[in-house]
Amino acid sequence: KKVCKKRLYKEFLLSGLVKCGDCKSSMTNTFTNKIKRRYYYYQCVKVIRDTSNPCSVREVNAEKLESFLIENLSRISQDKPYIENLLFRLAHKSPHPAGLELTGESLEKLVTRVQQVLINFKNKVENTSQIEKCLAFEKTIQKIQFSKNSLEVVISIEDTTNDEILNLSGLGSGRVAAR
């Protein structure tokens, strides 16, 4: 009797989004088969191409990184003081003309918008299929920079449902990055 093997398939949530913080290369999805389990990773492309001189990041466990992002972005969505502090630091760190600052009202709008985006993301990834989670990640996250010491996530705060883009003079093109 012929044994039928099941095709093990995983939809990587962060496919195409993760970049290596060490060498700035993309990180591609891959897996390793062990005796009883298949392990999924995001692996730095430089490790694959340049085996004589690979970067120090090499790879990161896909399931741990994905669950870490979901858990922490969900937590941050409920933490308004953290979002305010983050946006204040980003506004004062980013290169913009002298004297250009976010006013109290525009900062409050920005905080509310970032919080809305994160809450919508949280709602879309809770209790949904892997495909729906992938779509939520694609819509919300623009880039993830992973290194051994830090994780930078750039989210899109555009309102794509109403074709209305929030004006962030001084913060860049509708992006918020957190470290």
Side-chain angles (χ1 to χ4, degrees):
K1 189 175 179 181
K2 187 177 177 181
V3 176
C4 257
K5 291 186 177 181
K6 289 184 179 179
R7 179 176 168 219
L8 294 176
Y9 181 74
K10 173 174 173 48
E11 192 68 44
F12 286 83
L13 298 178
L14 308 175
S15 187
L17 296 172
V18 185
K19 304 282 184 212
C20 176
D22 190 24
C23 68
K24 310 299 184 232
S25 298
S26 294
M27 294 186 79
T28 186
N29 27 329
T30 187
F31 63 89
T32 301
N33 288 319
K34 297 294 180 183
I35 295 171
K36 293 185 178 183
R37 188 160 188 255
R38 183 173 274 189
Y39 294 91
Y40 299 97
Y41 298 94
Y42 292 101
Q43 185 175 39
C44 178
V45 171
K46 187 174 180 187
V47 171
I48 299 166
R49 290 191 183 145
D50 189 5
T51 55
S52 63
N53 188 22
C55 71
S56 63
V57 172
R58 301 187 61 83
E59 63 192 19
V60 59
N61 183 298
E63 292 159 343
K64 287 182 181 178
L65 180 60
E66 292 164 358
S67 64
F68 177 83
L69 280 171
I70 291 170
E71 181 181 311
N72 282 285
L73 290 175
S74 297
R75 179 186 54 77
I76 290 169
S77 73
Q78 304 301 315
D79 193 350
K80 192 172 182 175
Y82 177 84
I83 295 171
E84 287 173 351
N85 185 308
L86 174 67
L87 292 173
F88 180 81
R89 284 186 291 135
L90 287 172
H92 289 82
K93 177 185 142 187
S94 65
H96 51 72
L100 179 63
E101 258 188 65
L102 290 172
T103 64
E105 184 181 325
S106 62
L107 180 61
E108 187 60 36
K109 282 183 182 179
L110 183 56
V111 167
T112 303
R113 182 66 193 131
V114 169
Q115 196 169 21
Q116 285 173 346
V117 167
L118 292 175
I119 289 170
N120 288 343
F121 171 78
K122 176 186 164 205
N123 293 337
K124 287 178 185 172
V125 296
E126 283 182 346
N127 305 318
T128 60
S129 70
Q130 200 73 352
I131 299 280
E132 290 168 323
K133 287 179 185 176
C134 283
L135 293 172
F137 270 96
E138 281 179 26
K139 184 178 179 195
T140 307
I141 297 177
Q142 289 184 343
K143 179 178 82 170
I144 299 167
Q145 192 97 7
F146 177 84
S147 70
K148 288 184 176 181
N149 300 325
S150 68
L151 179 66
E152 179 181 346
V153 179
V154 179
I155 64 168
S156 173
I157 55 173
E158 292 180 5
D159 187 357
T160 53
T161 55
N162 297 327
D163 294 329
E164 175 186 308
I165 299 174
L166 190 62
N167 183 5
L168 301 176
S169 48
L171 275 183
S173 59
R175 301 172 357 150
V176 174
R179 282 193 172 183

